[in-house]
Each structure stands twice: as structure tokens, then as C-alpha cells.
Amino acid sequence: MHHKTTIEPFRIKVVEQIRLTTEAERRQFLQHAQYNPFLLHSDEVIIDLLTDSGTSAMSANQWSAIMRGDESYAGARSWLRMESTIRDLTGYPYILPTHQGRAAEHLLYSRIGGPGKVFISNTHFDTTRANVEFSGATAIDIPIEEGKHPEVYHPFKGNLDTGRLEALIERHGAENIGAVILTVTNNSGGGQPVSMANARAISEICKQHGILYILDACRIAENAYFIHQREEGYREKSYREIAHEMFGLADGCIMSAKKDGLVNMGGFLALRDLDLALKCRTVLIITEGYSTYGGLSGRDMEAIAIGLEEVFEPDYLNYRIKSTGYMGEQLRKIGVPLIWPPGGHAIYVDAKAFYPHIPVEEFPGQALACELYLKAGIRCCEIGSVMFGKYDENGKLIPAAMELVRLAIPRRVYTQSHIDYVVETFRELEQETERAHGYRITYEPPFLRHFTARFEPVV
Ligand SMILES: *Cc1c(COP(=O)(O)O)cnc(C)c1O
């Protein structure tokens, strides 16, 4: 078959200079950042794969809409535009704007959480878990078995284990389940998609027990692409129709617009139930802002309204998922252990397999993140025992299920040559794995420690 390169379906109109640092400079910068890439300055970074969140390049269309932003306090035109876009897309009547996804999580989980409540998810994203636990509730992750094995192929590795869901409802009692939260795609579980069949099965279980069902819909467009490709019966449907159908199965959603909203800041909570929406609106007005802007400017709301349309364009989504897959395929070809198949927004390297000589207590993922930075100025994020590890009563580490390093790909920002540079760097690191060493934590806060923890090398 004639195989053509999937090109970036855009031309570059504005450029942002990258400062090309030397390895000696980077050694200093990383020491200064106490071996936590989150503490680096962005101009010390060459290729920033720390996150795909809020790092999208906006389109000329979005930038021009920004000039039309209506900054009225109440009832702004820009708000009405964002609200109607989200209503059309989701079918939910009550839309609450927030400055980002975690603020929407706070509105909802602070109201429906609390001691004694249990939340169940395929995998709670870190801010989701923090918001649930901060309310005093418990967060339980039940991905399907295949989702826990990096090398095992499954078309929908992000699925939630519905058998375990029923068992947990039985054990805790439906009245104690705060909500079932389905994260699409499953970010912390490898950016893996969730099938419509799974979303529907969960919907039926939740309806039967009267349990609230929330979609964490940050990457629902990317998820829709996978359903279109891999699930029987969706070939003729548009990506937008697929997303709409999935929203239709749940009672509401939380979305960080910093992902598939294709903007740099924003989010929302959308709900079907008026009473619940009014309860959350009270918190919104106290903590975020008035209900027709949340934490957003009018111009932000214009950009979100357009981003939520652009993200479903077939050429965009095809390029997006294919270019993530390209990085995955190139790395796999040279033998880098990865979560397979690639997810939508990131490639997840299995650091435990890459650095088998570094024990989990010394954070092999942190080690790989540091090596990528030192070698080539690539910044990425550990998703392993630094992010999700806990301590038992004796202060011994209870490690995370996997030790991953996430190479997240900002939307519409990097070209194929940037990605080739990342692949080359891995080829070099593979030649010298035994030189890498572990790290120990010298400071950590009680929640979301990976953002601000400090480390020192174990040598
Ligand atoms: C990013 C993200 C959030 C939180 O959104 P923020 O905008 O970063 O506050 C919640 N859930 C998932 C799955 C995410 O990826």
C-alpha cells in the first residue's frame, strides 16, 4: 500500500525561539531545580514534554476571536457562546465555567464527597484523587487487568473493570458511593481509550443503583478517534457524534479545556441535575467568580468555544493521534519499553524495565526524567511512585503499580523533527543505562508531592 507521511495539517505563522543549552548548563540547572523537572525554568528546556495541558498552540481563528472577547461581568456574549457550544456538544443543560479542570473537580467533589464516601474510577487523575481525598472521601481505581500490563495489547486499555465495580458497590453500599468517574482517555493509566461499550455498561450499572456517573472528559475528542477506529459500529459516525453519545450516557462531566479545548487556560463542570448544579454554583461563586465567567476572561471563553469545535476536525484528530503513534513506533523500534499500544496524548515509557537496576524506592521514573533532561534538554514527567507512592505505618514506601515516564505531546506545537530528536536521545541513553542512578526525596508536601518535592541523587 502507498504510505504517505502524515503531515502537520497547518502552517506556522508565529514562532517561539527555543534556547539550545549545553549539557554542562543543564547539569547546573537540574541541580538548582533539586532534580525535580517541575522546578526548572522553561527557558532551560529544549523540548518540553512535561504536559499537554495548557500548552496547545492556538489557531489564527482563536487569536482573532480573542479580540472579540466580551468582558462584561454578567451575561457576556462570550459566555453565551461558550455555554451554547458546550450544551450542544454534551447535551447537559447546566454549565459552570471554571479557570481549569481541578476547580471544577473542587466544586463537585467538595459537595458530594466527605468522610465515608467512596469514589470509583478507571484511574483517578492526580488532581481528581487529591480533590476526592481532600474532602475526606476515598478514591479507588479499578482499571481492567490488561490496563495494568504495559506490554499487553488491548484496543481499549482505559476501560474500567465493571465486575469489580459491581463488587465494590455491593461491599460499600450504593448510598456510600459518591460517584463513578470515568476518565476518557485514561490519562494516568497511559492515555488509553475507553470503549463506548464500557461507558454504556457503567451507565447501566450506575442507573440500576442510583449512583452519580461523571465523565472526566479532558480528552474526549482523542477518545472518540479511537472508538471510530477500533470499535464496531462507529465507522460512519463523526468524532463529534461519538463524543456526544458518550456524554449522553453519563450524568455530567468535568473538563479541563487545557487539553482537548485547545486553549491555554479554562475548564467547566456540566451537569444534568438542577439541584446538584445549584449546590455547585454556590461554591463557584464563592471561589471562582460569578456564574457567567467562573475564573475566565471573556476572551478565554471565546477561545474555548472555538477550540471545542476545532478539536473534532478530522484532519486535526488524524494528525494528532498519528503523530503520537509515530513517536511510540519509533521508540518501540529501538527497543524502548513502552505502554503499548500508544495512547492519544502521550507516550509512557516503562522506567522500571528501562532501568531494572534502580529499585522502586529510588524512583526509576525520576531517574529517567533527569537523564532525558541532562542528555538533551527534554523535560517530562514521572508517573510512578513519586506521583502515586504512599507510605505504610512504618514509613515504608508502598510503590505505585507502574513506574512510568510520560512524554506528553503539546497540541500543534512540535514538528516531526522535534520528535526525531527525542527518539535519538533515547537511542543514546540505551547505550549507557548502567550509568544511571536513583534518587531520594529530601522534601515533600502532603498532597500532590510530585509538583514541589525535592530530590538528591543516590550515589
Ligand atoms: C488535566 C486533568 C485534570 C485537571 O485539570 P486542570 O486543568 O489541570 O486543573 C483532571 N483530569 C484529567 C484526566 C486531566 O488530564
Side-chain angles (χ1 to χ4, degrees), residues 100-102 105 125 127 183 187 216 218-219 256 258-259:
Q100 60 183 94
R102 71 196 67 185
E105 290 173 339
F125 180 64
T127 63
T183 312
N187 185 0
D216 182 340
C218 297
R219 298 179 183 79
S256 167
K258 298 171 71 173
K259 286 61 175 267

Side-chain angles (χ1 to χ4, degrees), residues 83-156:
E83 185 190 34
S84 74
T85 301
I86 296 170
R87 256 193 207 139
D88 285 353
L89 174 63
T90 63
Y92 304 136
Y94 307 111
I95 318 297
L96 288 77
T98 60
H99 79 280
Q100 60 183 94
R102 71 196 67 185
E105 290 173 339
H106 171 69
L107 300 184
L108 183 62
Y109 303 136
S110 67
R111 296 319 299 252
I112 65 172
K117 292 283 183 196
V118 174
F119 289 75
I120 304 170
S121 178
N122 44 349
T123 311
H124 292 82
F125 180 64
D126 55 355
T127 63
T128 317
R129 172 173 287 275
N131 268 293
V132 165
E133 292 178 349
F134 194 69
S135 82
T138 305
I140 302 177
D141 294 338
I142 48 166
I144 55 168
E145 191 56 36
E146 290 88 338
K148 294 183 233 166
H149 300 281
E151 281 296 314
V152 176
Y153 181 86
H154 187 286
F156 294 102

